[in-house]
Amino acid sequence: MIVAIAAVVGIVLISIISYVVVSLRSHTDDAGGGSETSGNEEVTQGFDRENPMTVFRGGANGECSICLDEFEEEDQVRKLSGCGHQFHAACVDRWVASRSRQPSCPTCRGQIV
């Protein structure tokens, strides 16, 4: 019985550590998403033009609905021009790059670009 409990606790700890590592890594990657592009460079260039990157200056509290981390002072963010939803720039850039053809807002699924 104790061995089973220890095994479950071990699995939970490994899962938590993996989540933290992935979450931290997502904010240290370059904003362009690197090699994760799907060959839709024209879409991502249009996205960059229409949704410029800005620096979060506080004010209204909020969180990135892609990574679920709260915005902190000086985070680089993008506010989508169509719907107004805001995300960490690296998160939404990766989201757009991974969607072929017509990307949509991660929150409302409204068309972007």
Side-chain angles (χ1 to χ4, degrees):
M1 180 71 160
I2 294 175
V3 173
I5 292 172
V8 169
V9 169
I11 291 170
V12 169
L13 286 175
I14 289 172
S15 297
I16 291 170
I17 291 169
S18 297
Y19 173 78
V20 169
V21 168
V22 169
S23 179
L24 290 174
R25 191 175 295 160
S26 73
H27 290 292
T28 57
D29 290 345
D30 61 330
S35 63
E36 296 179 34
T37 59
S38 306
N40 59 352
E41 218 167 286
E42 186 176 311
V43 171
T44 57
Q45 287 174 356
F47 173 76
D48 290 345
R49 255 190 327 273
E50 296 297 319
N51 305 281
M53 196 178 323
T54 60
V55 175
F56 185 73
R57 297 285 182 207
N61 292 335
E63 71 177 16
C64 175
S65 64
I66 297 173
C67 71
L68 304 178
D69 283 344
E70 289 189 19
F71 296 123
E72 296 180 11
E73 200 74 26
E74 301 298 317
D75 278 352
Q76 295 204 354
V77 297
R78 286 192 197 274
K79 185 174 185 177
L80 301 184
S81 59
C83 60
H85 289 116
Q86 186 167 277
F87 309 94
H88 289 114
C91 295
V92 75
D93 288 352
R94 200 172 303 113
W95 173 271
V96 169
S98 69
R99 303 301 184 268
S100 59
R101 295 191 184 123
Q102 200 58 262
S104 61
C105 171
T107 300
C108 69
R109 300 292 189 223
Q111 184 177 343
I112 55 177
V113 179

